[in-house]
Amino acid sequence: MSSVALDASIAGGDAIRKRVLGKLRWRIVFYCFILFIINYLDRVNVGFAAIHMNKDLGLSATAYGLGAGIFFIGYIAFEIPSNMIMHKVGPKIWIARIMVTWGLLSCGMAFIQGETSFYVMRFLLGLAEAGFVPGILLYLTYWFPARDRAKATAGFMTATVLSTVIGAPISGFILSSNPTWFGFAPWQWLFILEGLPAVILGVVTFFYLVDRPQQDTRWLDAAERSWLIAELDRENRQVATVGTHDFSAIFRDYRLWLLTLIYMFNAMAVYGVVLWLPQIVRSIGGLTELQTGFVTAVPFVFAAIGLVLVSRNSDRTGERKWHTAFSALMGGLFLAASAVAPTPLTGLLLLSAAAFGVWAVLGVFWSLPTQFLTGAAAAGGLAAINGFAQIGGFAGPYLVGWIKDTTQSFTPALLTLAAGPIIAAVLCLAIQVKRTPGAQR
């Protein structure tokens, strides 16, 4: 092939790549982003409900921390089976099922009566939500080439922070407006009003999602569809030659367990902050529920910026490991600094910088396992990493509650959480993965 013909071929490939990725971002990533906003809001709105719920039900800080964290025990229990089922029955059926189930259980949180029912409902909610995040991550691998996957994942993961940016003021408004219809308290209405959208969108999902590009995709023309299928097939063949393809073999690969530990220690900080931040902010004193909602949203604006900027640079350069390690280290150090800040404003700024780093990990991290996992191994591997790592999601909130009850202060609790991302950064240095092709060389 002549150099002129080669240049024309490359230019044509770049043009069709841009068209396909543009359509995929709007059709798939944006929709999954909306779903994750609802999912994450239903997972963490208990942090706002606790402002009044704990007093009404007589829950101590330790009891609340245990209930907030026990969600992840149910999550872990069903994570791998859920993703393996989705790999067999298809994303649209299974993701729709997950959403309807978690939406109903989230509404059911309004009817808890004390510690026992709080623990039971949080466990069942975790069981219902299990498989959603790794299911979407697996779904993205069905559609996005590896070199573009970090940006797509970050677009999806940005929902974890924007759900709080959007949801915190909404939750604060619901509590401050004090609805008491039908004899329910404001915190009960918070669960009901924020749980119903999941049920509605679950039904929509069944009709909206297309499982794979090999199926009827009217929003891609024939040339775009053919290019995407060929690109994904080529990548899967490459991964299969150097990576783990057999499901039973993934648990013998040290990289899976190392990635699990990295994600677990980072998750300690993520969920320890998310599930306690409204109460930490409220403890400053002098803030209404609505003001608490707006102040709580501030760090998550910076978290969203971190997710987008770091993932874009990672896709541009093709480098994954050092982007993950540096982000985690930054998050841990600034979180530790926020714990000993001299003023609330300084603490908020340092916590915002910590959120930038800790959440930036989420976009780049999920590009690491798909460099050596494909097929059923990817389905099980992504679920295993996300599932087992949720031990950090349990430990973070529980440790904050226990330390708060013991010391009557959030300072040592935040210092404990800060150790998680720092350990994650050190562990990143031991992972051996290849560099993926960057968008620019």
Side-chain angles (χ1 to χ4, degrees):
M1 180 181 291
S2 69
S3 60
V4 174
L6 180 60
D7 289 342
S9 176
I10 293 173
D14 287 342
I16 197 169
R17 173 184 289 274
K18 289 179 180 179
R19 292 203 310 271
V20 171
L21 291 176
K23 291 182 178 181
L24 292 181
R25 280 192 287 268
W26 278 109
R27 174 77 190 196
I28 293 178
V29 176
F30 182 71
Y31 185 72
C32 292
F33 163 81
I34 297 298
L35 299 186
F36 201 14
I37 284 182
I38 302 301
N39 172 265
Y40 209 75
L41 182 59
D42 286 343
R43 184 184 304 183
V44 303
N45 60 7
V46 68
F48 272 94
I51 293 174
H52 297 296
M53 178 186 72
N54 289 359
K55 181 179 179 181
D56 288 353
L57 300 182
L59 300 179
S60 66
T62 302
Y64 166 74
L66 177 59
I70 210 169
F71 166 95
F72 298 98
I73 303 301
Y75 202 91
I76 294 168
F78 198 51
E79 189 87 331
I80 295 177
S82 177
N83 233 32
M84 297 308 293
I85 292 171
M86 193 194 93
H87 187 61
K88 289 184 177 294
V89 306
K92 74 172 186 176
I93 293 175
W94 198 244
I95 292 173
R97 192 284 307 163
I98 290 173
M99 295 188 64
V100 171
T101 308
W102 104 52
L104 292 174
L105 284 168
S106 185
C107 292
M109 284 288 296
F111 302 97
I112 59 176
Q113 300 295 316
E115 282 189 29
T116 301
S117 57
F118 179 48
Y119 298 154
V120 170
M121 288 300 293
R122 285 292 291 177
F123 176 81
L124 291 177
L125 185 60
L127 205 65
E129 287 193 23
F132 177 76
V133 173
I136 296 294
L137 293 172
L138 179 63
Y139 184 57
L140 294 179
T141 69
Y142 295 167
W143 291 90
F144 281 87
R147 64 183 272 188
D148 308 295
R149 209 166 283 158
K151 193 184 299 182
T153 302
F156 168 63
M157 285 291 182
T158 304
T160 66
V161 290
L162 289 187
S163 67
T164 306
V165 173
I166 298 169
I170 292 175
S171 297
F173 174 76
I174 293 173
L175 292 177
S176 64
S177 63
N178 198 34
T180 54
W181 313 307
F182 305 104
F184 291 143
W187 64 266
Q188 292 175 300
W189 276 113
L190 185 147
F191 285 126
I192 294 171
L193 294 176
E194 294 183 352
L196 285 176
V199 179
I200 297 169
L201 282 176
V203 176
V204 173
T205 294
F206 178 78
F207 296 98
Y208 182 84
L209 288 188
V210 178
D211 286 347
R212 292 176 182 265
Q214 289 83 354
Q215 297 174 341
D216 182 19
T217 52
R218 297 178 182 176
W219 38 276
L220 291 176
D221 64 35
E224 293 167 344
R225 184 166 167 267
S226 297
W227 175 87
L228 180 59
I229 293 171
E231 185 76 1
L232 292 170
D233 285 345
R234 179 185 61 79
E235 286 186 353
N236 286 334
R237 287 194 300 270
Q238 287 180 342
V239 173
T241 61
V242 298
T244 302
H245 190 75
D246 179 64
F247 173 70
S248 62
I250 63 175
F251 298 102
R252 298 192 295 270
D253 192 325
Y254 86 95
R255 291 173 295 183
L256 179 133
W257 298 110
L258 190 56
L259 287 170
T260 298
L261 288 173
I262 292 168
Y263 203 60
M264 180 188 75
F265 281 110
N266 197 68
M268 285 181 59
V270 168
Y271 288 108
V273 170
V274 166
L275 292 169
W276 278 98
L277 189 56
Q279 294 182 70
I280 293 173
V281 171
R282 190 68 187 276
S283 69
I284 297 172
L287 297 178
T288 66
E289 286 88 351
L290 185 59
Q291 290 170 335
T292 298
F294 280 108
V295 172
T296 299
V298 171
F300 298 99
V301 174
F302 289 86
I305 295 171
L307 258 169
V308 173
L309 292 184
V310 174
S311 65
R312 284 186 175 179
N313 194 65
S314 178
D315 270 351
R316 182 183 63 82
T317 61
E319 200 290 314
R320 309 300 189 188
K321 181 172 78 171
W322 288 100
H323 280 77
T324 304
F326 181 76
S327 297
L329 180 63
M330 172 186 172
L333 293 177
F334 277 110
L335 186 57
S338 73
V340 294
T343 66
L345 178 59
T346 304
L348 182 65
L349 293 175
L350 290 169
L351 190 60
S352 297
F356 182 104
V358 170
W359 265 267
V361 171
L362 304 183
V364 182
F365 174 87
W366 289 109
S367 297
L368 295 173
T370 55
Q371 293 182 15
F372 63 94
L373 296 173
T374 185
L382 292 175
I385 293 169
N386 190 68
F388 292 132
Q390 299 309 316
I391 294 171
F394 168 77
Y398 178 70
L399 283 173
V400 173
W402 180 76
I403 294 171
K404 173 64 167 59
D405 267 347
T406 303
T407 66
Q408 299 302 307
S409 172
F410 283 113
T411 297
L414 289 174
L415 288 172
T416 302
L417 292 182
I422 295 173
I423 295 172
V426 174
L427 291 174
C428 276
L429 304 182
I431 192 73
Q432 296 296 321
V433 291
K434 65 181 181 179
R435 188 185 188 96
T436 58
Q440 300 174 11
R441 304 305 294 172

